[in-house]
PDB file of all heavy atoms in Angstrom:
ATOM      1  N   ARG H 205      20.060   1.327 -10.455  1.00 91.00           N
ATOM      2  CA  ARG H 205      19.666   0.778  -9.109  1.00 91.00           C
ATOM      3  C   ARG H 205      18.296   1.163  -8.699  1.00 91.00           C
ATOM      4  O   ARG H 205      17.792   2.297  -9.155  1.00 91.00           O
ATOM      5  CB  ARG H 205      20.675   1.118  -8.040  1.00 91.00           C
ATOM      6  CG  ARG H 205      22.083   0.641  -8.372  1.00 91.00           C
ATOM      7  CD  ARG H 205      23.199   1.151  -7.388  1.00 91.00           C
ATOM      8  NE  ARG H 205      24.437   0.709  -7.689  1.00 91.00           N
ATOM      9  CZ  ARG H 205      25.529   1.003  -7.002  1.00 91.00           C
ATOM     10  NH1 ARG H 205      25.442   1.732  -5.769  1.00 91.00           N
ATOM     11  NH2 ARG H 205      26.735   0.564  -7.380  1.00 91.00           N
ATOM     12  N   ARG H 206      17.657   0.421  -7.884  1.00 92.00           N
ATOM     13  CA  ARG H 206      16.249   0.680  -7.572  1.00 92.00           C
ATOM     14  C   ARG H 206      16.063   0.977  -6.053  1.00 92.00           C
ATOM     15  O   ARG H 206      16.835   0.411  -5.166  1.00 92.00           O
ATOM     16  CB  ARG H 206      15.305  -0.467  -7.927  1.00 92.00           C
ATOM     17  CG  ARG H 206      15.234  -0.776  -9.445  1.00 92.00           C
ATOM     18  CD  ARG H 206      14.426  -1.943  -9.727  1.00 92.00           C
ATOM     19  NE  ARG H 206      14.086  -2.131 -11.150  1.00 92.00           N
ATOM     20  CZ  ARG H 206      14.875  -2.625 -12.034  1.00 92.00           C
ATOM     21  NH1 ARG H 206      16.055  -3.062 -11.671  1.00 92.00           N
ATOM     22  NH2 ARG H 206      14.566  -2.658 -13.318  1.00 92.00           N
ATOM     23  N   ILE H 207      15.191   1.844  -5.796  1.00 92.00           N
ATOM     24  CA  ILE H 207      14.804   2.131  -4.364  1.00 92.00           C
ATOM     25  C   ILE H 207      13.830   1.035  -3.848  1.00 92.00           C
ATOM     26  O   ILE H 207      13.889   0.531  -2.750  1.00 92.00           O
ATOM     27  CB  ILE H 207      14.128   3.496  -4.127  1.00 92.00           C
ATOM     28  CG1 ILE H 207      15.205   4.571  -4.615  1.00 92.00           C
ATOM     29  CG2 ILE H 207      13.744   3.797  -2.788  1.00 92.00           C
ATOM     30  CD1 ILE H 207      14.563   5.958  -4.676  1.00 92.00           C
ATOM     31  N   PHE H 208      12.867   0.850  -4.669  1.00 92.00           N
ATOM     32  CA  PHE H 208      11.738  -0.160  -4.386  1.00 92.00           C
ATOM     33  C   PHE H 208      11.996  -1.471  -5.261  1.00 92.00           C
ATOM     34  O   PHE H 208      12.606  -1.389  -6.279  1.00 92.00           O
ATOM     35  CB  PHE H 208      10.393   0.339  -4.655  1.00 92.00           C
ATOM     36  CG  PHE H 208      10.167   1.696  -3.929  1.00 92.00           C
ATOM     37  CD1 PHE H 208      10.247   2.949  -4.687  1.00 92.00           C
ATOM     38  CD2 PHE H 208       9.762   1.788  -2.640  1.00 92.00           C
ATOM     39  CE1 PHE H 208       9.964   4.148  -4.082  1.00 92.00           C
ATOM     40  CE2 PHE H 208       9.584   2.926  -1.971  1.00 92.00           C
ATOM     41  CZ  PHE H 208       9.628   4.127  -2.696  1.00 92.00           C
ATOM     42  N   LYS H 209      11.502  -2.618  -4.749  1.00 90.00           N
ATOM     43  CA  LYS H 209      11.614  -3.811  -5.456  1.00 90.00           C
ATOM     44  C   LYS H 209      10.809  -3.687  -6.886  1.00 90.00           C
ATOM     45  O   LYS H 209      11.324  -4.307  -7.840  1.00 90.00           O
ATOM     46  CB  LYS H 209      11.101  -4.967  -4.726  1.00 90.00           C
ATOM     47  CG  LYS H 209      11.872  -5.259  -3.443  1.00 90.00           C
ATOM     48  CD  LYS H 209      11.306  -6.427  -2.621  1.00 90.00           C
ATOM     49  CE  LYS H 209      12.109  -6.613  -1.339  1.00 90.00           C
ATOM     50  NZ  LYS H 209      11.668  -7.732  -0.540  1.00 90.00           N
ATOM     51  N   MET H 210       9.849  -2.893  -6.815  1.00 90.00           N
ATOM     52  CA  MET H 210       9.061  -2.657  -8.050  1.00 90.00           C
ATOM     53  C   MET H 210       8.162  -1.477  -7.840  1.00 90.00           C
ATOM     54  O   MET H 210       7.667  -1.280  -6.664  1.00 90.00           O
ATOM     55  CB  MET H 210       8.259  -3.906  -8.472  1.00 90.00           C
ATOM     56  CG  MET H 210       7.640  -3.745  -9.801  1.00 90.00           C
ATOM     57  SD  MET H 210       6.763  -5.343 -10.242  1.00 90.00           S
ATOM     58  CE  MET H 210       6.039  -4.894 -11.842  1.00 90.00           C
ATOM     59  N   ALA H 211       7.956  -0.661  -8.813  1.00 88.00           N
ATOM     60  CA  ALA H 211       7.053   0.402  -8.647  1.00 88.00           C
ATOM     61  C   ALA H 211       5.893   0.262  -9.669  1.00 88.00           C
ATOM     62  O   ALA H 211       6.097  -0.346 -10.752  1.00 88.00           O
ATOM     63  CB  ALA H 211       7.727   1.849  -8.995  1.00 88.00           C
ATOM     64  N   PRO H 212       4.749   0.726  -9.343  1.00 92.00           N
ATOM     65  CA  PRO H 212       4.297   1.524  -8.208  1.00 92.00           C
ATOM     66  C   PRO H 212       4.436   0.749  -6.867  1.00 92.00           C
ATOM     67  O   PRO H 212       4.625  -0.394  -6.880  1.00 92.00           O
ATOM     68  CB  PRO H 212       2.766   1.937  -8.546  1.00 92.00           C
ATOM     69  CG  PRO H 212       2.670   1.705  -9.948  1.00 92.00           C
ATOM     70  CD  PRO H 212       3.533   0.638 -10.379  1.00 92.00           C
ATOM     71  N   LEU H 213       4.060   1.455  -5.796  1.00 93.00           N
ATOM     72  CA  LEU H 213       4.382   1.010  -4.445  1.00 93.00           C
ATOM     73  C   LEU H 213       3.658  -0.249  -4.105  1.00 93.00           C
ATOM     74  O   LEU H 213       4.180  -1.080  -3.329  1.00 93.00           O
ATOM     75  CB  LEU H 213       3.945   2.177  -3.425  1.00 93.00           C
ATOM     76  CG  LEU H 213       4.407   1.998  -2.037  1.00 93.00           C
ATOM     77  CD1 LEU H 213       5.951   1.852  -1.973  1.00 93.00           C
ATOM     78  CD2 LEU H 213       3.923   3.149  -1.237  1.00 93.00           C
ATOM     79  N   HIS H 214       2.475  -0.519  -4.607  1.00 92.00           N
ATOM     80  CA  HIS H 214       1.717  -1.704  -4.183  1.00 92.00           C
ATOM     81  C   HIS H 214       2.508  -2.955  -4.647  1.00 92.00           C
ATOM     82  O   HIS H 214       2.416  -4.002  -3.903  1.00 92.00           O
ATOM     83  CB  HIS H 214       0.304  -1.698  -4.723  1.00 92.00           C
ATOM     84  CG  HIS H 214       0.213  -1.488  -6.195  1.00 92.00           C
ATOM     85  ND1 HIS H 214      -0.090  -0.219  -6.801  1.00 92.00           N
ATOM     86  CD2 HIS H 214       0.319  -2.394  -7.220  1.00 92.00           C
ATOM     87  CE1 HIS H 214      -0.138  -0.427  -8.052  1.00 92.00           C
ATOM     88  NE2 HIS H 214       0.060  -1.702  -8.371  1.00 92.00           N
ATOM     89  N   HIS H 215       3.302  -2.916  -5.747  1.00 90.00           N
ATOM     90  CA  HIS H 215       4.019  -4.121  -6.166  1.00 90.00           C
ATOM     91  C   HIS H 215       5.217  -4.312  -5.334  1.00 90.00           C
ATOM     92  O   HIS H 215       5.610  -5.497  -5.137  1.00 90.00           O
ATOM     93  CB  HIS H 215       4.449  -3.861  -7.628  1.00 90.00           C
ATOM     94  CG  HIS H 215       3.315  -3.978  -8.638  1.00 90.00           C
ATOM     95  ND1 HIS H 215       2.364  -4.938  -8.597  1.00 90.00           N
ATOM     96  CD2 HIS H 215       3.047  -3.158  -9.842  1.00 90.00           C
ATOM     97  CE1 HIS H 215       1.514  -4.754  -9.619  1.00 90.00           C
ATOM     98  NE2 HIS H 215       1.886  -3.714 -10.357  1.00 90.00           N
ATOM     99  N   HIS H 216       5.732  -3.270  -4.739  1.00 92.00           N
ATOM    100  CA  HIS H 216       6.800  -3.415  -3.864  1.00 92.00           C
ATOM    101  C   HIS H 216       6.464  -4.300  -2.623  1.00 92.00           C
ATOM    102  O   HIS H 216       7.189  -5.212  -2.214  1.00 92.00           O
ATOM    103  CB  HIS H 216       7.364  -1.945  -3.335  1.00 92.00           C
ATOM    104  CG  HIS H 216       8.345  -2.077  -2.182  1.00 92.00           C
ATOM    105  ND1 HIS H 216       9.646  -2.383  -2.403  1.00 92.00           N
ATOM    106  CD2 HIS H 216       8.111  -1.870  -0.840  1.00 92.00           C
ATOM    107  CE1 HIS H 216      10.247  -2.391  -1.230  1.00 92.00           C
ATOM    108  NE2 HIS H 216       9.360  -2.092  -0.285  1.00 92.00           N
ATOM    109  N   PHE H 217       5.282  -3.970  -2.078  1.00 93.00           N
ATOM    110  CA  PHE H 217       4.807  -4.742  -0.926  1.00 93.00           C
ATOM    111  C   PHE H 217       4.501  -6.133  -1.263  1.00 93.00           C
ATOM    112  O   PHE H 217       4.710  -7.084  -0.502  1.00 93.00           O
ATOM    113  CB  PHE H 217       3.611  -4.002  -0.235  1.00 93.00           C
ATOM    114  CG  PHE H 217       3.975  -2.757   0.369  1.00 93.00           C
ATOM    115  CD1 PHE H 217       3.507  -1.545  -0.042  1.00 93.00           C
ATOM    116  CD2 PHE H 217       4.728  -2.738   1.569  1.00 93.00           C
ATOM    117  CE1 PHE H 217       3.827  -0.397   0.654  1.00 93.00           C
ATOM    118  CE2 PHE H 217       5.059  -1.557   2.281  1.00 93.00           C
ATOM    119  CZ  PHE H 217       4.631  -0.357   1.711  1.00 93.00           C
ATOM    120  N   GLU H 218       3.877  -6.365  -2.475  1.00 91.00           N
ATOM    121  CA  GLU H 218       3.636  -7.698  -2.946  1.00 91.00           C
ATOM    122  C   GLU H 218       4.902  -8.574  -2.997  1.00 91.00           C
ATOM    123  O   GLU H 218       5.012  -9.719  -2.510  1.00 91.00           O
ATOM    124  CB  GLU H 218       2.968  -7.715  -4.297  1.00 91.00           C
ATOM    125  CG  GLU H 218       1.466  -7.525  -4.179  1.00 91.00           C
ATOM    126  CD  GLU H 218       0.833  -7.937  -5.538  1.00 91.00           C
ATOM    127  OE1 GLU H 218       1.072  -7.206  -6.511  1.00 91.00           O
ATOM    128  OE2 GLU H 218       0.167  -8.959  -5.615  1.00 91.00           O
ATOM    129  N   LEU H 219       5.981  -7.938  -3.571  1.00 89.00           N
ATOM    130  CA  LEU H 219       7.263  -8.666  -3.720  1.00 89.00           C
ATOM    131  C   LEU H 219       7.959  -8.793  -2.391  1.00 89.00           C
ATOM    132  O   LEU H 219       8.884  -9.552  -2.204  1.00 89.00           O
ATOM    133  CB  LEU H 219       8.194  -8.000  -4.650  1.00 89.00           C
ATOM    134  CG  LEU H 219       7.670  -7.953  -6.157  1.00 89.00           C
ATOM    135  CD1 LEU H 219       8.571  -7.105  -6.997  1.00 89.00           C
ATOM    136  CD2 LEU H 219       7.557  -9.362  -6.678  1.00 89.00           C
ATOM    137  N   SER H 220       7.478  -7.987  -1.400  1.00 91.00           N
ATOM    138  CA  SER H 220       8.089  -8.190  -0.025  1.00 91.00           C
ATOM    139  C   SER H 220       7.352  -9.193   0.839  1.00 91.00           C
ATOM    140  O   SER H 220       7.708  -9.440   1.990  1.00 91.00           O
ATOM    141  CB  SER H 220       7.926  -6.832   0.729  1.00 91.00           C
ATOM    142  OG  SER H 220       8.625  -5.779   0.005  1.00 91.00           O
ATOM    143  N   GLY H 221       6.416  -9.871   0.223  1.00 90.00           N
ATOM    144  CA  GLY H 221       5.673 -10.966   0.892  1.00 90.00           C
ATOM    145  C   GLY H 221       4.258 -10.754   1.259  1.00 90.00           C
ATOM    146  O   GLY H 221       3.595 -11.633   1.803  1.00 90.00           O
ATOM    147  N   TRP H 222       3.778  -9.559   1.095  1.00 92.00           N
ATOM    148  CA  TRP H 222       2.276  -9.295   1.419  1.00 92.00           C
ATOM    149  C   TRP H 222       1.520 -10.023   0.290  1.00 92.00           C
ATOM    150  O   TRP H 222       1.815  -9.974  -0.941  1.00 92.00           O
ATOM    151  CB  TRP H 222       2.034  -7.828   1.390  1.00 92.00           C
ATOM    152  CG  TRP H 222       2.597  -7.096   2.537  1.00 92.00           C
ATOM    153  CD1 TRP H 222       3.602  -7.433   3.275  1.00 92.00           C
ATOM    154  CD2 TRP H 222       2.253  -5.789   3.002  1.00 92.00           C
ATOM    155  NE1 TRP H 222       3.900  -6.539   4.197  1.00 92.00           N
ATOM    156  CE2 TRP H 222       3.020  -5.420   4.019  1.00 92.00           C
ATOM    157  CE3 TRP H 222       1.255  -4.823   2.490  1.00 92.00           C
ATOM    158  CZ2 TRP H 222       2.940  -4.255   4.604  1.00 92.00           C
ATOM    159  CZ3 TRP H 222       1.086  -3.697   3.196  1.00 92.00           C
ATOM    160  CH2 TRP H 222       1.958  -3.327   4.283  1.00 92.00           C
ATOM    161  N   LYS H 223       0.344 -10.559   0.685  1.00 93.00           N
ATOM    162  CA  LYS H 223      -0.623 -11.064  -0.263  1.00 93.00           C
ATOM    163  C   LYS H 223      -1.328  -9.923  -0.928  1.00 93.00           C
ATOM    164  O   LYS H 223      -1.447  -8.854  -0.283  1.00 93.00           O
ATOM    165  CB  LYS H 223      -1.605 -12.036   0.444  1.00 93.00           C
ATOM    166  CG  LYS H 223      -1.012 -13.375   0.861  1.00 93.00           C
ATOM    167  CD  LYS H 223      -1.940 -14.193   1.532  1.00 93.00           C
ATOM    168  CE  LYS H 223      -1.384 -15.478   2.057  1.00 93.00           C
ATOM    169  NZ  LYS H 223      -2.471 -16.434   2.692  1.00 93.00           N
ATOM    170  N   GLU H 224      -1.858 -10.119  -2.163  1.00 91.00           N
ATOM    171  CA  GLU H 224      -2.617  -9.073  -2.764  1.00 91.00           C
ATOM    172  C   GLU H 224      -3.746  -8.490  -2.051  1.00 91.00           C
ATOM    173  O   GLU H 224      -3.904  -7.263  -1.898  1.00 91.00           O
ATOM    174  CB  GLU H 224      -3.109  -9.601  -4.185  1.00 91.00           C
ATOM    175  CG  GLU H 224      -3.862  -8.551  -4.992  1.00 91.00           C
ATOM    176  CD  GLU H 224      -4.363  -9.013  -6.329  1.00 91.00           C
ATOM    177  OE1 GLU H 224      -3.925 -10.102  -6.711  1.00 91.00           O
ATOM    178  OE2 GLU H 224      -5.074  -8.322  -6.968  1.00 91.00           O
ATOM    179  N   THR H 225      -4.517  -9.375  -1.403  1.00 93.00           N
ATOM    180  CA  THR H 225      -5.644  -8.924  -0.586  1.00 93.00           C
ATOM    181  C   THR H 225      -5.250  -8.099   0.586  1.00 93.00           C
ATOM    182  O   THR H 225      -5.877  -7.190   0.971  1.00 93.00           O
ATOM    183  CB  THR H 225      -6.535 -10.105  -0.139  1.00 93.00           C
ATOM    184  OG1 THR H 225      -5.687 -11.047   0.472  1.00 93.00           O
ATOM    185  CG2 THR H 225      -7.273 -10.704  -1.282  1.00 93.00           C
ATOM    186  N   GLN H 226      -4.040  -8.416   1.135  1.00 95.00           N
ATOM    187  CA  GLN H 226      -3.477  -7.686   2.329  1.00 95.00           C
ATOM    188  C   GLN H 226      -3.136  -6.289   1.890  1.00 95.00           C
ATOM    189  O   GLN H 226      -3.394  -5.267   2.624  1.00 95.00           O
ATOM    190  CB  GLN H 226      -2.274  -8.376   2.912  1.00 95.00           C
ATOM    191  CG  GLN H 226      -2.661  -9.670   3.647  1.00 95.00           C
ATOM    192  CD  GLN H 226      -1.264 -10.297   4.224  1.00 95.00           C
ATOM    193  OE1 GLN H 226      -0.278 -10.558   3.447  1.00 95.00           O
ATOM    194  NE2 GLN H 226      -1.252 -10.597   5.433  1.00 95.00           N
ATOM    195  N   VAL H 227      -2.365  -6.119   0.764  1.00 95.00           N
ATOM    196  CA  VAL H 227      -2.088  -4.814   0.206  1.00 95.00           C
ATOM    197  C   VAL H 227      -3.261  -3.959   0.033  1.00 95.00           C
ATOM    198  O   VAL H 227      -3.380  -2.789   0.477  1.00 95.00           O
ATOM    199  CB  VAL H 227      -1.263  -4.878  -1.008  1.00 95.00           C
ATOM    200  CG1 VAL H 227      -0.926  -3.542  -1.675  1.00 95.00           C
ATOM    201  CG2 VAL H 227       0.034  -5.733  -0.870  1.00 95.00           C
ATOM    202  N   VAL H 228      -4.378  -4.526  -0.662  1.00 96.00           N
ATOM    203  CA  VAL H 228      -5.560  -3.877  -0.918  1.00 96.00           C
ATOM    204  C   VAL H 228      -6.247  -3.319   0.285  1.00 96.00           C
ATOM    205  O   VAL H 228      -6.552  -2.159   0.411  1.00 96.00           O
ATOM    206  CB  VAL H 228      -6.499  -4.678  -1.858  1.00 96.00           C
ATOM    207  CG1 VAL H 228      -7.806  -4.089  -2.035  1.00 96.00           C
ATOM    208  CG2 VAL H 228      -5.780  -4.988  -3.184  1.00 96.00           C
ATOM    209  N   VAL H 229      -6.487  -4.219   1.184  1.00 96.00           N
ATOM    210  CA  VAL H 229      -7.285  -3.928   2.422  1.00 96.00           C
ATOM    211  C   VAL H 229      -6.485  -2.873   3.261  1.00 96.00           C
ATOM    212  O   VAL H 229      -7.004  -1.951   3.833  1.00 96.00           O
ATOM    213  CB  VAL H 229      -7.622  -5.118   3.267  1.00 96.00           C
ATOM    214  CG1 VAL H 229      -8.327  -4.753   4.582  1.00 96.00           C
ATOM    215  CG2 VAL H 229      -8.551  -6.008   2.407  1.00 96.00           C
ATOM    216  N   ARG H 230      -5.227  -3.017   3.434  1.00 96.00           N
ATOM    217  CA  ARG H 230      -4.408  -2.129   4.198  1.00 96.00           C
ATOM    218  C   ARG H 230      -4.371  -0.776   3.530  1.00 96.00           C
ATOM    219  O   ARG H 230      -4.432   0.265   4.223  1.00 96.00           O
ATOM    220  CB  ARG H 230      -3.024  -2.694   4.339  1.00 96.00           C
ATOM    221  CG  ARG H 230      -3.039  -3.787   5.453  1.00 96.00           C
ATOM    222  CD  ARG H 230      -1.708  -4.476   5.416  1.00 96.00           C
ATOM    223  NE  ARG H 230      -1.760  -5.669   6.348  1.00 96.00           N
ATOM    224  CZ  ARG H 230      -0.782  -6.591   6.543  1.00 96.00           C
ATOM    225  NH1 ARG H 230       0.330  -6.499   5.784  1.00 96.00           N
ATOM    226  NH2 ARG H 230      -0.967  -7.561   7.449  1.00 96.00           N
ATOM    227  N   PHE H 231      -4.354  -0.674   2.227  1.00 97.00           N
ATOM    228  CA  PHE H 231      -4.423   0.624   1.546  1.00 97.00           C
ATOM    229  C   PHE H 231      -5.765   1.250   1.756  1.00 97.00           C
ATOM    230  O   PHE H 231      -5.934   2.464   1.822  1.00 97.00           O
ATOM    231  CB  PHE H 231      -4.077   0.489   0.092  1.00 97.00           C
ATOM    232  CG  PHE H 231      -2.593   0.482  -0.249  1.00 97.00           C
ATOM    233  CD1 PHE H 231      -1.652  -0.038   0.616  1.00 97.00           C
ATOM    234  CD2 PHE H 231      -2.146   1.067  -1.421  1.00 97.00           C
ATOM    235  CE1 PHE H 231      -0.323  -0.091   0.420  1.00 97.00           C
ATOM    236  CE2 PHE H 231      -0.745   1.008  -1.695  1.00 97.00           C
ATOM    237  CZ  PHE H 231       0.123   0.484  -0.893  1.00 97.00           C
ATOM    238  N   TRP H 232      -6.801   0.402   1.780  1.00 97.00           N
ATOM    239  CA  TRP H 232      -8.162   0.968   2.079  1.00 97.00           C
ATOM    240  C   TRP H 232      -8.164   1.502   3.492  1.00 97.00           C
ATOM    241  O   TRP H 232      -8.768   2.624   3.618  1.00 97.00           O
ATOM    242  CB  TRP H 232      -9.200  -0.168   2.009  1.00 97.00           C
ATOM    243  CG  TRP H 232      -9.528  -0.681   0.604  1.00 97.00           C
ATOM    244  CD1 TRP H 232      -9.014  -0.297  -0.497  1.00 97.00           C
ATOM    245  CD2 TRP H 232     -10.413  -1.762   0.342  1.00 97.00           C
ATOM    246  NE1 TRP H 232      -9.555  -1.059  -1.546  1.00 97.00           N
ATOM    247  CE2 TRP H 232     -10.406  -1.894  -1.016  1.00 97.00           C
ATOM    248  CE3 TRP H 232     -11.231  -2.578   1.137  1.00 97.00           C
ATOM    249  CZ2 TRP H 232     -11.249  -2.909  -1.734  1.00 97.00           C
ATOM    250  CZ3 TRP H 232     -11.995  -3.534   0.458  1.00 97.00           C
ATOM    251  CH2 TRP H 232     -11.907  -3.645  -0.883  1.00 97.00           C
ATOM    252  N   ILE H 233      -7.625   0.828   4.439  1.00 97.00           N
ATOM    253  CA  ILE H 233      -7.608   1.334   5.799  1.00 97.00           C
ATOM    254  C   ILE H 233      -6.901   2.653   5.891  1.00 97.00           C
ATOM    255  O   ILE H 233      -7.435   3.561   6.507  1.00 97.00           O
ATOM    256  CB  ILE H 233      -6.936   0.242   6.739  1.00 97.00           C
ATOM    257  CG1 ILE H 233      -7.871  -0.981   6.820  1.00 97.00           C
ATOM    258  CG2 ILE H 233      -6.778   0.885   8.219  1.00 97.00           C
ATOM    259  CD1 ILE H 233      -7.232  -2.105   7.499  1.00 97.00           C
ATOM    260  N   ILE H 234      -5.801   2.803   5.250  1.00 97.00           N
ATOM    261  CA  ILE H 234      -5.057   3.998   5.226  1.00 97.00           C
ATOM    262  C   ILE H 234      -5.845   5.177   4.675  1.00 97.00           C
ATOM    263  O   ILE H 234      -5.952   6.306   5.160  1.00 97.00           O
ATOM    264  CB  ILE H 234      -3.692   3.914   4.476  1.00 97.00           C
ATOM    265  CG1 ILE H 234      -2.791   2.969   5.201  1.00 97.00           C
ATOM    266  CG2 ILE H 234      -3.042   5.253   4.263  1.00 97.00           C
ATOM    267  CD1 ILE H 234      -1.552   2.551   4.398  1.00 97.00           C
ATOM    268  N   THR H 235      -6.585   4.822   3.567  1.00 97.00           N
ATOM    269  CA  THR H 235      -7.430   5.835   2.885  1.00 97.00           C
ATOM    270  C   THR H 235      -8.550   6.327   3.799  1.00 97.00           C
ATOM    271  O   THR H 235      -8.817   7.456   3.908  1.00 97.00           O
ATOM    272  CB  THR H 235      -8.005   5.349   1.608  1.00 97.00           C
ATOM    273  OG1 THR H 235      -6.952   4.973   0.711  1.00 97.00           O
ATOM    274  CG2 THR H 235      -8.889   6.373   0.937  1.00 97.00           C
ATOM    275  N   ILE H 236      -9.221   5.363   4.562  1.00 98.00           N
ATOM    276  CA  ILE H 236     -10.235   5.673   5.513  1.00 98.00           C
ATOM    277  C   ILE H 236      -9.711   6.758   6.551  1.00 98.00           C
ATOM    278  O   ILE H 236     -10.353   7.734   6.780  1.00 98.00           O
ATOM    279  CB  ILE H 236     -10.809   4.430   6.178  1.00 98.00           C
ATOM    280  CG1 ILE H 236     -11.539   3.600   5.118  1.00 98.00           C
ATOM    281  CG2 ILE H 236     -11.742   4.834   7.334  1.00 98.00           C
ATOM    282  CD1 ILE H 236     -11.949   2.239   5.684  1.00 98.00           C
ATOM    283  N   LEU H 237      -8.590   6.450   7.001  1.00 98.00           N
ATOM    284  CA  LEU H 237      -7.990   7.359   8.053  1.00 98.00           C
ATOM    285  C   LEU H 237      -7.673   8.704   7.488  1.00 98.00           C
ATOM    286  O   LEU H 237      -7.925   9.756   8.075  1.00 98.00           O
ATOM    287  CB  LEU H 237      -6.747   6.709   8.623  1.00 98.00           C
ATOM    288  CG  LEU H 237      -6.881   5.365   9.338  1.00 98.00           C
ATOM    289  CD1 LEU H 237      -5.587   4.797   9.888  1.00 98.00           C
ATOM    290  CD2 LEU H 237      -7.793   5.559  10.624  1.00 98.00           C
ATOM    291  N   LEU H 238      -7.093   8.701   6.248  1.00 98.00           N
ATOM    292  CA  LEU H 238      -6.763  10.045   5.621  1.00 98.00           C
ATOM    293  C   LEU H 238      -8.102  10.824   5.358  1.00 98.00           C
ATOM    294  O   LEU H 238      -8.051  12.027   5.392  1.00 98.00           O
ATOM    295  CB  LEU H 238      -6.003   9.763   4.372  1.00 98.00           C
ATOM    296  CG  LEU H 238      -4.636   9.221   4.528  1.00 98.00           C
ATOM    297  CD1 LEU H 238      -3.961   8.800   3.214  1.00 98.00           C
ATOM    298  CD2 LEU H 238      -3.750  10.134   5.299  1.00 98.00           C
ATOM    299  N   VAL H 239      -9.093  10.145   4.879  1.00 98.00           N
ATOM    300  CA  VAL H 239     -10.380  10.800   4.585  1.00 98.00           C
ATOM    301  C   VAL H 239     -10.992  11.402   5.864  1.00 98.00           C
ATOM    302  O   VAL H 239     -11.528  12.484   5.858  1.00 98.00           O
ATOM    303  CB  VAL H 239     -11.422   9.809   3.916  1.00 98.00           C
ATOM    304  CG1 VAL H 239     -12.771  10.378   3.906  1.00 98.00           C
ATOM    305  CG2 VAL H 239     -10.971   9.462   2.455  1.00 98.00           C
ATOM    306  N   LEU H 240     -10.877  10.688   7.032  1.00 97.00           N
ATOM    307  CA  LEU H 240     -11.394  11.194   8.231  1.00 97.00           C
ATOM    308  C   LEU H 240     -10.555  12.429   8.699  1.00 97.00           C
ATOM    309  O   LEU H 240     -11.099  13.415   9.190  1.00 97.00           O
ATOM    310  CB  LEU H 240     -11.254  10.149   9.322  1.00 97.00           C
ATOM    311  CG  LEU H 240     -12.204   8.969   9.245  1.00 97.00           C
ATOM    312  CD1 LEU H 240     -11.911   7.934  10.269  1.00 97.00           C
ATOM    313  CD2 LEU H 240     -13.697   9.396   9.258  1.00 97.00           C
ATOM    314  N   ILE H 241      -9.318  12.445   8.468  1.00 97.00           N
ATOM    315  CA  ILE H 241      -8.425  13.611   8.653  1.00 97.00           C
ATOM    316  C   ILE H 241      -8.922  14.767   7.750  1.00 97.00           C
ATOM    317  O   ILE H 241      -9.123  15.945   8.211  1.00 97.00           O
ATOM    318  CB  ILE H 241      -6.970  13.382   8.440  1.00 97.00           C
ATOM    319  CG1 ILE H 241      -6.417  12.314   9.378  1.00 97.00           C
ATOM    320  CG2 ILE H 241      -6.136  14.666   8.474  1.00 97.00           C
ATOM    321  CD1 ILE H 241      -4.992  11.852   9.184  1.00 97.00           C
ATOM    322  N   GLY H 242      -9.143  14.508   6.519  1.00 96.00           N
ATOM    323  CA  GLY H 242      -9.686  15.526   5.575  1.00 96.00           C
ATOM    324  C   GLY H 242     -10.974  16.110   5.982  1.00 96.00           C
ATOM    325  O   GLY H 242     -11.163  17.340   6.000  1.00 96.00           O
ATOM    326  N   LEU H 243     -11.857  15.274   6.416  1.00 96.00           N
ATOM    327  CA  LEU H 243     -13.226  15.714   6.819  1.00 96.00           C
ATOM    328  C   LEU H 243     -13.171  16.456   8.138  1.00 96.00           C
ATOM    329  O   LEU H 243     -13.991  17.347   8.418  1.00 96.00           O
ATOM    330  CB  LEU H 243     -14.152  14.501   7.026  1.00 96.00           C
ATOM    331  CG  LEU H 243     -14.670  13.874   5.802  1.00 96.00           C
ATOM    332  CD1 LEU H 243     -15.452  12.586   6.102  1.00 96.00           C
ATOM    333  CD2 LEU H 243     -15.574  14.790   4.971  1.00 96.00           C
ATOM    334  N   SER H 244     -12.192  16.123   8.972  1.00 95.00           N
ATOM    335  CA  SER H 244     -12.058  16.943  10.266  1.00 95.00           C
ATOM    336  C   SER H 244     -11.735  18.396   9.992  1.00 95.00           C
ATOM    337  O   SER H 244     -11.938  19.222  10.857  1.00 95.00           O
ATOM    338  CB  SER H 244     -11.018  16.293  11.200  1.00 95.00           C
ATOM    339  OG  SER H 244      -9.701  16.445  10.571  1.00 95.00           O
ATOM    340  N   SER H 245     -11.161  18.717   8.772  1.00 94.00           N
ATOM    341  CA  SER H 245     -10.831  20.069   8.554  1.00 94.00           C
ATOM    342  C   SER H 245     -12.090  20.960   8.337  1.00 94.00           C
ATOM    343  O   SER H 245     -12.066  22.138   8.285  1.00 94.00           O
ATOM    344  CB  SER H 245      -9.947  20.146   7.284  1.00 94.00           C
ATOM    345  OG  SER H 245     -10.671  19.801   6.158  1.00 94.00           O
TER     346      SER H 245
END
């Protein structure tokens, strides 16, 4: 049995209905926020 529809995680979101560009840009946004957190240290 599977936890995700498909791994790695980006494929799970694609199979959940997200368009490829949506997955990519949203992952970029998350990375920007995480990098800002890292730089704040």
Side-chain angles (χ1 to χ4, degrees):
R205 300 178 182 179
R206 293 175 170 84
I207 299 174
F208 306 102
K209 294 180 179 179
M210 187 177 178
L213 192 59
H214 54 263
H215 289 317
H216 169 79
F217 288 113
E218 274 197 291
L219 294 175
S220 298
W222 291 19
K223 294 181 180 180
E224 179 176 352
T225 50
Q226 288 179 308
V227 177
V228 171
V229 173
R230 287 170 181 173
F231 276 35
W232 287 359
I233 293 171
I234 293 171
T235 300
I236 291 172
L237 297 176
L238 293 176
V239 166
L240 290 175
I241 292 173
L243 287 173
S244 68
S245 69

